[in-house]
Amino acid sequence: MIKNYLKIAWRNILNNKVYSAINILGLAAGMAVALIIGLWVINEFSYDKFLPNYKQLYQVQLHFTTQREEHTQAALAIPLADVLRKEVLGIKYVAETDWVGWQYHDLLVGTKKLYLGGGAAHPDFLKIFQYPFVKGSAKDAFKDPYSIILDEATAKALFGNADPINKFIRLDNKQNLKVTGVIKDIPKNATRQFSFLTPFSFKEQTEGWMKNARTTWTNNSFNMYVELQPGVTAEQIAPKIKNIVYQHSVQMRPAKPEVILHAMKDWHLYSDFKMGKPVGGFIDYVRMFCIIGILVLLIACINFMNLSTARSEKRAREVGVRKAIGSQRKDLIIQFLAESILITFIAFLFSIVFVQLALPSFNTVIGSSIAIPFANPLFWIGMLLYVLLTGLLAGSRPAFYLSSFNPVQVLKGSVKIGKAASLPRKVLVVLQFSCSIALIISTVIVYQQIQYAKNRPTGYSAERLMMTDMSGDLETNYGALKNELMSSGVVESVASASSPVTNIYSHMSLDKWPGKAADEEAVNVGAISVSDNYFKTLGMTLKEGHDFSAKWSDDTTSVILNEAAVKRIGLKNPINQLVMWNGSKGPVRIIGVVKDALMESPFTPVAPAIFNHGRGGNNIMYRLSPNVNTQDAIKKINKIFDTYNPAYPFIYQFVDDEYNHKFNLEVLVGKLAGVFAGLAIFISCLGLFGLAAYVAEQRTKEIGIRKVLGASISQVWLLLSKDFILLVIISCVIASPVALYFLQSWLQKYEYRITIGPGVFMLSGLVAIMITLITISFQAIKAALTNPVKSLRSE
């Protein structure tokens, strides 16, 4: 029985090659989009689930309130780990770490030197995160404080094919560490990425500032992870840990700190918090593209429905004859659904080819390594269901509509089938074009928002400005390095600072200032320690007062505020006013006010910042001289850095590149939305092309008569085009308010954002109308140019 259905379905497909090809191509494009998005979504939800106990793993975080604003941070004080470990029942393991993966260190073996992300972790870290060891074991890896474990890639880069166990690595050109373990390379779908780990005890023994860290509740400089006992839930632990910091830290009490747990399953997708609970993050974009994938597939299915019902007049006689000889309606429904599923299956095969060809480019855009899991049986089971559901969705209306014809009326020719299907068909065309136009509008708005933020004045000049981490011997040799860079002729200015140009690492509180009310809260400010020439090197402008200078190199009593800080504390004449902040031992004098510079998010207002004078720092900034060749300059600079920091590789960043990284997510969304909007329009126009061909075919004799009576080509073109143009205009009217609603909601997450004007809707509508005209004009002009004698010959 099934074989007979498929035979008839195949024959019908071959008898209608043009319409079948349009259906197959449209469905293949829609299915390819949905499949790519599906694979991407599955990949996003797979993060961290390679660990066997991921459901019981949590990161400890701190929720508090300052200046009537909520904050949730991962930075914690070490004493919290000891309390969790000793006093809270239900917690199996606790591991304190530094910023593993975020901090870069130099690994030196002979002449091989690597600058990689890693960090220090408590031994229980290896019990919580059960990374498989290929050499050594988690049990013995951290017994010696002067030990290190590597991932396979790092071990191979440093030791080649030799066994690295018990060999030594020089870390940051200061300490020799013995390799005690090698773990498998961490999968790309892991939130925490690192290349090496050292014991936390090594950090405590070798870094002087760590001396009192284990007893100080205000040194929030560390991360913390826990594994709960089997069967214990976060809800059971939450009340036990909530007030630990509040109880132990008097200094933190005004901020009402609450200790919370962030589940590992939520790390990748949920990074935004409200009232101490994860409420959003990258999951918002995952949901958005899920909706886009469904819409594109729906558009493709609508094409199939429209073309199938449009050709119903030709299929009506088939239905009438088959009913007359005894076929039941259910048999006809099965027949039409079989035809739909067969077309969908063929489209699916093409979609697999399309996806395979598109995935390399898609992976490049999103920075992933998604692949079709051909060897996974579950994938093929899922694809079988995917084909069946898509086939049933696409073929449902044609099957039930065509099988409902009365055989007597059809065979008498008394049923005007085309008109009966006209209204639903127009509704579906409006629906698919509404979706497509909404995607076009979204693409334009995303692009405008990105450009709006990119064009925002930064307050400094990023042109030819470079940065290098202050690693190894650079701090000791900074003066000599600076002098040689300046004398090289390729650098015009050099400075150092505790934060890079595009970020602020440290935030402190501005506690006292003239005119501060007794009950007024302290102000949270970005704190940057800078060398002389800092503002000159960055191209920042002093609004009033004066800069730091070399003759004041030991001056710790002077600061410079930015405009935002002055405005926030309400100083009318800030120069020479005294303020106190928790980075100073006593009052400090404001010697200057610098114009606001955009150092953090380009989508938010510039935050208050305070600059103090210091010799050291975490970063060196240097601006290339004008008119020097960039590559030649980098080669010269490389040699100079190698002279003063021989144990470290020369790593640099251009400030404009680092600034552009802040737009990566928005650019990704814009690119993907643009591609999917283009495919949605393509699929819609493919269906429109088929409908235009059908309408021209149905009205061949009418067109012939009109031409005999003197109608011009333009009049015939207008005759066939006006109905479709009207449908697209209606689609624009529907799509515009829907897109406006969702886009305004999306823009609310940005404090610095565009205002949506009417121009984008008119432009998107005009683009849709132009594409529609181009699509249907081929069929319309072809019909208009047909010889009327030929079309009327049978009459």
Side-chain angles (χ1 to χ4, degrees):
M1 182 68 73
I2 295 175
K3 188 177 179 181
N4 290 334
Y5 285 135
L6 292 176
K7 275 186 178 181
I8 297 170
W10 180 247
R11 187 169 62 248
N12 284 329
I13 291 171
L14 293 179
N15 289 338
N16 300 279
K17 293 184 179 67
V18 174
Y19 293 104
S20 296
I22 291 173
N23 274 331
I24 289 170
L25 184 57
L27 277 174
M31 294 180 79
V33 169
L35 181 54
I36 286 178
I37 292 177
L39 291 171
W40 175 67
V41 169
I42 290 171
N43 179 69
E44 297 305 310
F45 275 97
S46 72
Y47 268 68
D48 300 312
K49 292 179 181 173
F50 61 90
L51 291 169
N53 54 340
Y54 77 93
K55 291 183 179 179
Q56 293 299 101
L57 305 189
Y58 296 82
Q59 182 173 24
V60 186
Q61 298 198 340
L62 193 67
H63 175 74
F64 58 95
T65 305
T66 59
Q67 301 170 38
R68 296 176 295 278
E69 292 183 0
E70 293 181 24
H71 304 274
T72 300
Q73 66 179 37
L76 303 166
I78 296 180
L80 176 60
D82 294 327
V83 175
L84 293 175
R85 191 177 287 119
K86 297 173 184 177
E87 299 180 12
V88 181
L89 296 176
I91 294 180
K92 186 175 182 181
Y93 298 118
V94 180
E96 56 270 37
T97 73
D98 59 9
W99 296 81
V100 171
W102 293 98
Q103 295 176 321
Y104 279 67
H105 298 266
D106 180 61
L107 305 179
L108 181 65
V109 176
T111 59
K112 295 178 181 177
K113 47 188 177 182
L114 301 176
Y115 196 57
L116 299 172
H122 187 277
D124 283 350
F125 184 86
L126 298 176
K127 297 176 183 177
I128 295 172
F129 299 91
Q130 297 176 23
Y131 301 114
F133 276 72
V134 294
K135 293 183 183 295
S137 67
K139 181 180 177 182
D140 301 322
F142 283 166
K143 282 186 175 180
D144 180 0
Y146 287 78
S147 60
I148 187 171
I149 64 173
L150 311 172
D151 66 1
E152 285 183 292
T154 304
K156 187 174 180 64
L158 290 173
F159 298 100
N161 295 322
D163 186 355
I165 297 298
N166 294 326
K167 291 186 170 63
F168 285 89
I169 291 174
R170 190 158 183 82
L171 183 70
D172 292 336
N173 203 27
K174 294 178 181 177
Q175 304 288 345
N176 292 322
L177 303 180
K178 184 193 293 185
V179 179
T180 55
V182 177
I183 61 173
K184 281 189 176 182
D185 289 336
I186 296 175
K188 287 188 176 181
N189 61 340
T191 308
R192 300 291 181 267
Q193 296 283 342
F194 57 88
S195 298
F196 70 91
L197 284 176
T198 61
F200 200 78
S201 56
F202 167 75
K203 188 178 186 74
E204 291 180 296
Q205 291 181 24
T206 58
E207 298 185 25
W209 69 277
M210 291 281 296
K211 182 178 180 181
N212 300 316
R214 198 159 284 279
T215 57
T216 305
W217 281 89
T218 55
N219 188 357
N220 292 313
S221 303
F222 308 93
N223 291 164
M224 216 163 290
Y225 304 92
V226 300
E227 179 182 349
L228 304 187
Q229 294 283 1
V232 177
T233 65
E235 289 73 20
Q236 292 172 318
I237 296 295
K240 299 179 183 179
I241 66 174
K242 180 179 178 179
N243 295 318
I244 291 177
V245 172
Y246 184 87
Q247 292 167 355
H248 287 82
S249 176
V250 176
Q251 296 94 325
M252 290 287 292
R253 284 182 186 174
K256 300 177 182 178
E258 295 180 2
V259 180
I260 61 173
L261 297 180
H262 187 199
M264 187 186 211
K265 63 182 179 65
D266 295 335
W267 287 358
H268 178 62
L269 295 176
Y270 293 87
S271 57
D272 295 339
F273 290 82
K274 188 173 183 179
M275 300 297 292
K277 298 184 183 298
V279 293
F282 196 66
I283 186 65
D284 298 330
Y285 293 98
V286 172
R287 288 169 180 157
M288 180 176 72
F289 282 110
C290 281
I291 293 171
I292 289 175
I294 292 170
L295 287 179
V296 174
L297 183 60
L298 181 62
I299 288 169
C301 291
I302 288 173
N303 271 0
F304 185 94
M305 295 177 189
N306 276 347
L307 288 178
S308 298
T309 54
R311 295 178 57 251
S312 57
E313 200 163 309
K314 290 195 172 183
R315 303 295 300 271
R317 293 187 186 279
E318 174 195 345
V319 171
V321 171
R322 292 184 64 181
K323 280 192 172 183
I325 61 176
S327 292
Q328 300 295 315
R329 187 183 182 192
K330 66 176 183 179
D331 298 320
L332 293 171
I333 291 173
I334 294 172
Q335 175 59 57
F336 289 124
L337 288 177
E339 188 174 323
S340 170
I341 291 171
L342 181 58
I343 288 176
T344 304
F345 177 73
I346 297 170
F348 168 71
L349 297 180
F350 278 102
S351 74
I352 289 287
V353 176
F354 295 161
V355 170
Q356 193 67 13
L357 293 174
L359 273 179
S361 298
F362 184 78
N363 283 330
T364 300
V365 170
I366 67 172
S368 188
S369 56
I370 299 170
I372 301 176
F374 289 111
N376 189 341
L378 291 176
F379 170 76
W380 292 109
I381 293 172
M383 290 303 97
L384 178 61
L385 293 173
Y386 180 43
V387 170
L388 288 174
L389 289 174
T390 304
L392 292 173
L393 176 63
S396 57
R397 184 170 183 271
F400 288 96
Y401 174 69
L402 294 173
S403 64
S404 66
F405 295 154
N406 186 309
V408 176
Q409 289 181 316
V410 168
L411 295 175
K412 279 184 176 181
S414 59
V415 176
K416 300 297 182 183
I417 300 167
K419 290 183 179 180
S422 176
L423 181 59
R425 190 161 62 243
K426 289 178 179 178
V427 170
L428 290 175
V429 169
V430 168
L431 176 60
Q432 66 176 175
F433 266 89
S434 296
C435 296
S436 301
I437 293 167
L439 286 175
I440 293 175
I441 295 170
S442 301
T443 302
V444 175
I445 292 298
V446 171
Y447 174 79
Q448 287 182 339
Q449 173 64 10
I450 294 170
Q451 293 306 119
Y452 182 67
K454 279 188 173 182
N455 294 333
R456 182 181 181 182
T458 59
Y460 57 83
S461 173
E463 185 179 4
R464 303 171 73 80
L465 184 60
M466 300 174 65
M467 301 184 295
T468 295
D469 287 350
M470 185 82 80
S471 57
D473 298 325
L474 290 180
E475 186 171 352
T476 304
N477 297 327
Y478 173 72
L481 173 75
K482 176 182 176 181
N483 291 335
E484 188 160 346
L485 284 173
M486 292 294 293
S487 63
S488 68
V490 298
V491 172
E492 67 175 13
S493 185
V494 182
S496 67
S498 59
S499 294
V501 181
T502 53
N503 204 348
I504 298 178
Y505 286 161
S506 178
H507 287 79
M508 297 187 179
S509 62
L510 192 59
D511 300 315
K512 293 182 180 179
W513 60 87
K516 180 179 182 290
D519 59 347
E520 192 171 355
E521 290 185 347
V523 174
N524 185 48
V525 294
I528 307 176
S529 180
V530 303
S531 70
D532 48 281
N533 290 327
Y534 174 81
F535 298 109
K536 175 186 173 183
T537 302
L538 269 62
M540 294 172 66
T541 305
L542 279 171
K543 183 178 180 182
E544 52 184 310
H546 58 81
D547 195 352
F548 301 118
S549 68
K551 67 179 181 180
W552 295 336
S553 59
D554 295 323
D555 183 11
T556 59
T557 62
S558 300
V559 295
I560 294 174
L561 302 184
N562 69 351
E563 292 176 298
V566 172
K567 182 179 179 180
R568 174 64 183 82
I569 61 179
L571 290 181
K572 300 297 183 183
N573 299 296
I575 302 301
N576 291 324
Q577 298 280 8
L578 297 178
V579 297
M580 283 191 67
W581 60 305
N582 65 350
S584 63
K585 296 179 180 178
V588 292
R589 187 178 304 278
I590 301 172
I591 63 169
V593 177
V594 68
K595 288 189 175 181
D596 286 339
L598 196 59
M599 294 181 152
E600 296 180 293
S601 172
F603 300 105
T604 59
V606 175
I610 187 168
F611 302 86
N612 71 300
H613 201 208
R615 290 181 174 182
N618 295 315
N619 297 85
I620 302 173
M621 297 86 175
Y622 41 100
R623 187 180 298 279
L624 300 184
S625 300
N627 303 321
V628 300
N629 180 274
T630 302
Q631 293 305 317
D632 292 341
I634 290 173
K635 289 178 183 178
K636 286 187 178 181
I637 294 169
N638 191 354
K639 290 180 181 178
I640 296 171
F641 271 86
D642 281 345
T643 300
Y644 293 101
N645 199 30
Y648 282 70
F650 173 56
I651 307 293
Y652 63 88
Q653 302 91 33
F654 281 94
V655 170
D656 52 0
D657 290 339
E658 290 300 300
Y659 182 74
N660 287 333
H661 287 334
K662 295 175 180 290
F663 302 94
N664 281 354
L665 180 57
E666 286 72 24
V667 169
L668 171 63
V669 171
K671 284 181 178 178
L672 294 181
V675 170
F676 295 144
L679 285 171
I681 282 289
F682 168 75
I683 296 169
S684 299
C685 290
L686 203 60
L688 208 58
F689 183 85
L691 285 176
Y694 170 75
V695 170
E697 182 184 341
Q698 290 297 98
R699 303 180 74 172
T700 300
K701 291 181 175 57
E702 177 190 347
I703 293 168
I705 293 171
R706 287 179 180 273
K707 289 194 70 177
V708 169
L709 295 175
S712 65
I713 293 175
S714 60
Q715 287 174 323
V716 174
W717 172 82
L718 183 61
L719 174 72
L720 295 178
S721 303
K722 63 181 182 180
D723 287 344
F724 292 114
I725 297 300
L726 178 62
L727 295 179
V728 174
I729 291 173
I730 294 172
S731 299
C732 292
V733 173
I734 294 173
S736 295
V738 173
L740 177 64
Y741 173 79
F742 286 104
L743 287 168
Q744 281 186 329
S745 177
W746 177 71
L747 286 171
Q748 290 302 311
K749 68 195 304 182
Y750 304 109
E751 293 182 66
Y752 189 82
R753 56 181 180 266
I754 61 170
T755 300
I756 302 176
V760 65
F761 302 105
M762 291 188 288
L763 175 64
S764 301
L766 184 61
V767 168
I769 291 170
M770 292 299 297
I771 293 173
T772 302
L773 285 174
I774 293 170
T775 302
I776 61 180
S777 288
F778 175 80
Q779 296 292 353
I781 294 173
K782 178 183 175 183
L785 292 174
T786 302
N787 189 337
V789 175
K790 183 179 179 181
S791 59
L792 296 173
R793 184 178 299 160
S794 61
E795 299 296 320

